Amino acid sequence: EIVLTQSPGTLSLSPGERATLSCRASQSVSRNYLGWYQQKPGQAPRLLIYGASSRATGIPDRFSGSGSGTDFTLIISRLEPEDFAVYFCQQYGSSPLTFGGGTKVEMK
Amino acid sequence: QVQLVQSGAEVKKPGASVKVSCKASGYTFTGYYIHWLRQAPGQGLEWMGWINPNSGGTNYAQNFQGRVTMTRDTSISTAFMELNRLRSDDTAVYYCVRELLPMSTSATTECFQDWGHGTLVTVSS
């Protein structure tokens, strides 16, 4: 199975700053089938990005995804107060589907 | 709008079974795969498997083979996930989720825009 390693574990930033989150796969993700989710406490995750770089419906353009093969990045260009949350990556290029351990973006 | 409404929280003893339901509305139930995921307290997400609501076909993660059964009732647009021989480490929030795109598309879209609210299953003696 493909293991996804996210870094850093925690990112301490201020509103208005840029956040760069990394997701590294143990083997190449087929067709860049990589998604990113945001999760706030007590809520279900929300899909942000699919296919490594396509924004899901209703997602603001301050969220962008990039990468291919084994290295993927989620960038939040200017953090808004509502963006402080945990972010997970997920690969769906091969079975079993797997998720990264998450990056917590916290307010400095 | 798409809604996935799950059954309520459950408390079970080790060795028991639990069956969680997921009622879909706002779209054609038989047109999209439904997956089940779980999230242990403070942990990441774990994929359990999927069901094709049209055919009833299933695909389970190896970690759950022999212990999980996914079914559906198309007459009430509801999917079910039953987990047997529960252990304390099965304590988690269980989510039903709908694939991003319908089955009719050729692309693989096993990522999830629509989520149930989650069902907390607590396994404790």
Side-chain angles (χ1 to χ4, degrees), chain B residues 30-98:
Chain B
T30 53
Y32 291 75
Y33 285 90
I34 291 281
H35 295 240
W36 289 87
L37 311 174
R38 74 178 186 179
Q39 186 171 35
Q43 303 299 310
L45 292 150
E46 184 177 20
W47 176 72
M48 300 179 69
W50 56 250
I51 182 166
N52 177 331
N54 188 43
S55 66
T58 55
N59 179 32
Y60 303 140
Q62 190 163 10
N63 286 351
F64 298 96
Q65 289 274 359
R67 271 210 311 147
V68 71
T69 304
M70 297 177 188
T71 56
R72 92 294 188 216
D73 183 339
T74 57
S75 69
I76 55 172
S77 299
T78 300
F80 302 91
M81 186 283 299
E82 183 171 24
L83 189 61
N84 302 316
R85 301 191 300 279
L86 290 168
R87 309 183 295 250
S88 58
D89 62 358
D90 290 319
T91 294
V93 176
Y94 290 75
Y95 292 103
C96 63
V97 295
R98 191 193 79 160

Side-chain angles (χ1 to χ4, degrees), chain A residues 1 31 33 35 37 39 43-47 49-51 56-57 88 90-92 95-101, chain B residues 35 37 39 43-47 59 61-63 95 100-101 106-113 115-118:
Chain A
E1 81 177 42
R31 302 186 201 181
Y33 282 156
Y37 298 81
Q39 187 176 31
Q43 295 184 17
R46 176 172 74 139
L47 179 66
I49 300 288
Y50 64 95
T57 303
F88 295 101
Q90 177 223 339
Q91 69 79 24
Y92 52 101
S95 188
L97 310 184
T98 51
F99 291 81
Chain B
H35 295 240
L37 311 174
Q39 186 171 35
Q43 303 299 310
L45 292 150
E46 184 177 20
W47 176 72
N59 179 32
Q62 190 163 10
N63 286 351
Y95 292 103
L100 178 63
L101 295 178
S106 56
T108 298
T109 57
E110 292 177 300
C111 58
F112 314 113
Q113 184 158 272
W115 293 64
H117 51 81

Side-chain angles (χ1 to χ4, degrees), chain A residues 57-107:
Chain A
T57 303
I59 302 303
D61 61 7
R62 64 180 182 273
F63 292 93
S64 64
S66 64
S68 64
T70 60
D71 288 295
F72 299 88
T73 302
L74 175 71
I75 290 176
I76 310 170
S77 58
R78 292 175 312 280
L79 282 164
E80 298 286 340
E82 62 268 26
D83 298 337
F84 292 93
V86 178
Y87 293 82
F88 295 101
C89 56
Q90 177 223 339
Q91 69 79 24
Y92 52 101
S94 61
S95 188
L97 310 184
T98 51
F99 291 81
T103 290
K104 182 179 182 180
V105 178
E106 67 175 22
M107 200 175 296

Side-chain angles (χ1 to χ4, degrees), chain A residues 7-18:
Chain A
S7 61
T10 302
L11 204 48
S12 297
L13 295 167
S14 300
E17 289 193 297
R18 177 185 178 96

